[in-house]
């Protein structure tokens, strides 16, 4: 849930003046300031107590530094009321506590949010990329500005392998309807997740490598129990498609001897039973044979082709 919180028009702070937060302080407008603090706190309590379980709250604007102490008390109360709710680090005041190079959400927040950027390596702490799916987070009428479903899948796989989450942003029009291009992109990503979601949901990044040293287009995730590794081969952005390769060499994962390797979506079209793919060891490499009939299996979707590998 997103809360755009600096709204002095609704708090009585403006008094007919321009609503610039820098014009107001606790000292200059004590009654209005106190009403502002209490109204803001009441809104947060309402959200957390009257609408079921709230998974995340993002305070999507920043208050003046003078509001820090009040925000500290508000967040402390909010955590008592909703201990399972995650709070984004933005908009929670300047207090950051003890920070170091291994912790990004080191203040009162649970995670940080790099915006409009895709990190090229894992980041410390808990993080979630926020990226607009068109030119705006609000409604964009131009269909040419929309990113497609392959864009979403490619970056989702890349980000999760580095230990992050991804939020793609689309806004509705005045009638509450999303652009057909946004719907098309999300439906494509949904179909991909229906087949390959096991490599995304409830997974963990690999302890040693997020990508493969022999095949750099491969991104790794693993199961919580560390029994399964998911090797997702990304295509696009200049890389050749999987259908153009006969084999996939992997340097950073060794399957359990005698175990089967699966390509998600590669199955008998009549029975829906998975069809295992062949693999072998060549020196220090695991070499997976890429089937030559992928076009006959529509559930095998790019740009992320996921191989499930048992390692224990």
């Amino acid at each position: 849930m997103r809360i755009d919180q600096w709204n002095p028009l609704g708090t009585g702070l403006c008094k007919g003046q321009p609503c610039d937060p820098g014009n107001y302080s606790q000292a200059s407008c004590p009654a209005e300031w106190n009403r502002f603090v209490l109204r803001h706190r009441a809104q947060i309590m309402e959200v957390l107590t009257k609408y079921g379980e709230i998974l995340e709250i993002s305070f999507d604007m920043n208050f003046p530094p003078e509001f820090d102490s009040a925000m500290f008390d508000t967040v402390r109360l909010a955590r008592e009321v909703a201990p399972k709710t995650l709070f984004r680090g933005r908009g929670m005041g300047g207090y950051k506590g003890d920070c170091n190079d291994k912790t990004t959400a080191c203040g009162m927040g649970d995670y940080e949010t790099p915006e409009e950027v895709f990190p090229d390596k894992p980041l410390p702490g808990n993080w979630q990329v926020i990226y607009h799916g068109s030119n705006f987070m609000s409604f964009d009428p131009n269909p040419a500005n929309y990113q497609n479903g392959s864009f979403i899948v490619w970056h989702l796989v890349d980000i999760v392998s580095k230990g992050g989450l991804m939020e793609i942003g689309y806004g509705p029009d005045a009638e509450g309807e999303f652009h057909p291009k946004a719907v098309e992109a999300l439906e494509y990503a949904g179909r991909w997740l229906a087949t390959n979601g096991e490599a995304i949901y409830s997974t963990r990044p690999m302890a040693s490598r997020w990508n493969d040293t022999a095949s750099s287009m491969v991104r790794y995730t693993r199961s919580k129990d560390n029994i399964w590794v998911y090797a997702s081969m990304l295509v696009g952005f200049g890389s050749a498609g999987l259908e153009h390769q006969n084999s996939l060499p992997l340097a950073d994962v060794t399957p359990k001897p005698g175990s089967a390797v699966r390509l998600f979506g590669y199955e008998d079209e009549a029975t829906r039973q998975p069809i295992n793919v062949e693999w072998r060891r060549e020196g220090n490499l695991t070499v997976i044979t890429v089937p030559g009939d992928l076009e006959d299996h529509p559930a095998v979707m790019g740009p992320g082709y996921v191989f499930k590998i048992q390692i224990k």
Side-chain angles (χ1 to χ4, degrees), residues 96 99-107 111-112 123-127:
K96 283 293 183 182
C99 295
N100 57 59
D101 59 1
K102 295 182 179 180
T103 308
T104 54
C106 50
Y111 63 98
E112 297 295 336
L123 301 179
N126 303 317
W127 54 282

Side-chain angles (χ1 to χ4, degrees), residues 181-192:
K181 284 293 183 180
V183 175
E184 177 184 286
L186 293 173
E187 286 182 344
Y188 184 92
R191 290 196 302 274
W192 185 91

Side-chain angles (χ1 to χ4, degrees), residues 23-101:
N23 293 338
Y24 307 98
S25 69
Q26 188 172 11
S28 64
C29 307
E32 292 84 353
W33 185 274
N34 188 56
R35 184 163 62 248
F36 170 43
V37 170
L38 295 179
R39 180 177 181 272
H40 175 257
R41 190 169 297 164
Q43 287 178 322
I44 295 172
M45 292 302 106
E46 176 185 342
V47 168
L48 292 175
T49 60
K50 293 187 177 181
Y51 302 101
E53 183 179 12
I54 304 298
L55 300 181
E56 297 183 21
I57 279 189
S58 171
F59 301 111
D60 204 33
M61 292 181 72
N62 290 314
F63 284 121
E66 192 173 358
F67 196 73
D68 283 359
S69 61
M71 190 65 186
F72 183 89
D73 291 338
T74 297
V75 173
R76 186 170 56 182
L77 178 60
R79 289 197 179 279
E80 292 177 1
V81 170
K84 294 183 178 180
T85 298
L86 297 177
F87 291 85
R88 180 185 178 190
R90 182 179 180 183
M92 300 183 73
Y95 172 78
K96 283 293 183 182
D98 295 326
C99 295
N100 57 59
D101 59 1

Side-chain angles (χ1 to χ4, degrees), residues 286-303:
T286 296
V287 181
I288 297 176
T289 300
V290 177
D293 61 342
L294 297 183
E295 66 278 1
D296 297 329
H297 299 271
V300 180
M301 298 171 60

Side-chain angles (χ1 to χ4, degrees), residues 124-178:
N126 303 317
W127 54 282
Q128 172 180 287
V129 167
I130 297 176
Y131 203 88
H132 54 70
S134 61
N135 276 11
F136 316 104
M137 283 292 188
S138 55
F139 181 74
D140 188 340
N142 187 349
N145 293 337
Y146 281 79
Q147 303 290 357
N148 61 23
S150 291
F151 177 93
I152 298 174
V153 170
W154 199 102
H155 287 289
L156 174 65
V157 171
D158 181 61
I159 289 168
V160 171
S161 74
K162 297 169 184 173
L165 302 175
M166 179 180 175
E167 174 187 323
I168 190 80
Y170 296 104
D173 63 15
E175 303 300 323
E177 299 292 332
F178 288 91

Side-chain angles (χ1 to χ4, degrees), residues 261-262 275-280 286-291 307:
V261 172
R262 284 184 56 198
I275 302 174
N276 296 331
V277 296
E278 296 180 359
W279 66 273
R280 64 188 184 276
T286 296
V287 181
I288 297 176
T289 300
V290 177
F307 294 90

